[in-house]
Amino acid sequence: MAVAMSSTCPGLYCGRVLVNGSVEGECGVCPRGERANLQKFCERCTGSPDLYDWLYLGFMAMLPLVMHWFFIEWYSGKKSSSALLQHITAMLECSVSAVVTLLVTEPVGMLNIRSCKVQMLSDWYTMLYNPSPDYVNTLHCTQEAVYPLYTIVLIYYAFCLVLMMLLRPLLVKKIACGLGKSDRFKSIYAALYFFPILTVLQAVGGGLLYYAFPYIVLVLSLVTLAVYMSASEIQTFKHLVAKKKHLIILFSHWLLHAYGIISISRLDELKQDLPLLALVPGPALFYIATAKFTEPSRILSEGGNGH
């Protein structure tokens, strides 16, 4: 009771509810969509996500789409003509899920959302900061201090899963005639595995991903581009432009490079940050320029001649 009657609430996230300008109730958890201010009163979040917040949400939204595309390509086989249609369907599922998620988030029926500003890493893990003023009783103030960045991703994944289960099986059954019965649905089965993994990743590591995703995008896009160009034996510009698929994958990776650079710089100073986008083609050009010097067959033959 001493805690309830104190002038200020203990802990980082405990607060008192304000009703018509007057304080009501004891110190405790703030209602959803509110967080404790410096005076320890629960204050409604009325701000909008900044550019970095939208980039984070975009990254989390891209993860299932990229996973869908990977497994569709992996299981469709070279002779299957259904892969492209499945890719388009996966993009449609994720796009519709994203729009519906925004529409059901406050303010309902609008594509913009209101949010609480992320101030520090602990905002993502309020359950670890429940105070114990008398070292015996714990005051539970667990809440979504980063509203709605934590739960909106989970809602989006739920919509993605539901739409996939409604649309994809019917599509695959009609168009994937070139595949065996056991192979047709493997990309869907894969999604039933990676969606729970992505959900746990967001639930446990959402805060870490919020601060690390620009570097994850940049590093993974560089590594996957190098692996693809090596596996496809692309060593010259002639090899690169020989197939449309090579160019599509190259431009997709360039978009990811740019996404990572923008996320890191946050475009705080346009005059300084925009020229950094000129670095986007750099890794691909460097790979092509140096590929002939690192070809294993050449190194082995030179080693043999040396002996």
Side-chain angles (χ1 to χ4, degrees):
M1 185 62 67
V3 174
M5 297 306 293
S6 62
S7 58
T8 59
C9 297
L12 290 172
Y13 302 103
C14 296
R16 298 175 188 270
V17 178
L18 279 174
V19 178
N20 296 326
S22 60
V23 180
E24 289 193 3
E26 303 175 351
C27 288
V29 61
C30 291
R32 189 165 187 264
E34 300 182 13
R35 67 174 293 173
N37 57 19
L38 294 175
Q39 289 75 37
K40 296 298 180 181
F41 299 135
C42 294
E43 189 174 44
R44 179 180 170 86
C45 298
T46 56
S48 298
D50 57 23
L51 175 63
Y52 188 83
D53 294 337
W54 284 116
L55 290 170
Y56 165 74
L57 292 177
F59 168 74
M60 299 306 293
M62 279 193 295
L63 286 180
L65 179 59
V66 171
M67 298 289 280
H68 276 314
W69 283 350
F70 173 79
F71 285 111
I72 288 170
E73 195 68 29
W74 184 268
Y75 290 119
S76 63
K78 294 182 178 179
K79 296 181 180 179
S80 175
S81 59
S82 66
L84 178 61
L85 195 53
Q86 290 187 65
H87 286 315
I88 295 172
T89 306
M91 178 180 279
L92 180 65
E93 292 164 6
C94 292
S95 301
V96 172
S97 298
V99 172
V100 173
T101 302
L102 291 176
L103 290 175
V104 299
T105 306
E106 290 189 27
V108 177
M110 301 180 69
L111 291 177
N112 62 314
I113 57 177
R114 64 178 183 88
S115 68
C116 304
K117 186 174 178 59
V118 181
Q119 298 174 2
M120 47 189 168
L121 180 61
S122 61
D123 290 349
W124 293 83
Y125 304 103
T126 56
M127 75 289 291
L128 303 177
Y129 294 87
N130 292 322
S132 299
D134 55 3
Y135 302 100
V136 176
N137 300 308
T138 300
L139 194 59
H140 295 282
C141 299
T142 302
Q143 60 189 288
E144 188 180 8
V146 294
Y147 174 88
L149 301 183
Y150 189 88
T151 51
I152 196 173
V153 176
L154 302 177
I155 295 169
Y156 166 73
Y157 289 164
F159 279 126
C160 283
L161 185 59
V162 169
L163 281 178
M164 183 198 71
M165 295 305 295
L166 290 175
L167 300 179
R168 199 86 63 82
L170 298 174
L171 177 74
V172 171
K173 190 173 181 180
K174 286 191 174 184
I175 65 174
C177 301
L179 299 174
K181 288 185 178 180
S182 61
D183 294 332
R184 289 184 186 182
F185 300 101
K186 280 189 175 180
S187 63
I188 300 176
Y189 297 151
L192 297 179
Y193 283 98
F194 72 67
F195 267 119
I197 293 172
L198 290 177
T199 301
V200 172
L201 189 67
Q202 166 68 4
V204 177
L208 299 175
L209 287 173
Y210 179 81
Y211 290 100
F213 84 88
Y215 308 97
I216 294 173
V217 170
L218 209 52
V219 171
L220 286 183
S221 62
L222 290 173
V223 171
T224 53
L225 179 61
V227 169
Y228 177 77
M229 294 180 77
S230 175
S232 302
E233 298 182 353
I234 299 173
Q235 296 184 356
T236 64
F237 286 105
K238 187 177 180 180
H239 293 152
L240 184 62
V241 299
K243 292 183 179 179
K244 289 182 180 179
K245 183 179 178 181
H246 293 338
L247 291 175
I248 291 173
I249 291 177
L250 175 66
F251 288 132
S252 299
H253 278 84
W254 281 1
L255 287 174
L256 288 175
H257 295 348
Y259 197 92
I261 291 172
I262 291 171
S263 301
I264 292 173
S265 67
R266 304 194 187 191
L267 297 181
D268 290 330
E269 296 183 19
L270 289 179
K271 290 183 179 179
Q272 292 182 9
D273 298 336
L274 282 181
L276 292 174
L277 296 178
L279 299 172
V280 166
L285 298 177
F286 178 80
Y287 181 92
I288 292 174
T290 58
K292 57 185 178 183
F293 301 115
T294 57
E295 188 179 356
S297 59
R298 175 177 175 172
I299 295 172
L300 290 172
S301 62
E302 288 180 356
N305 294 334
H307 284 73

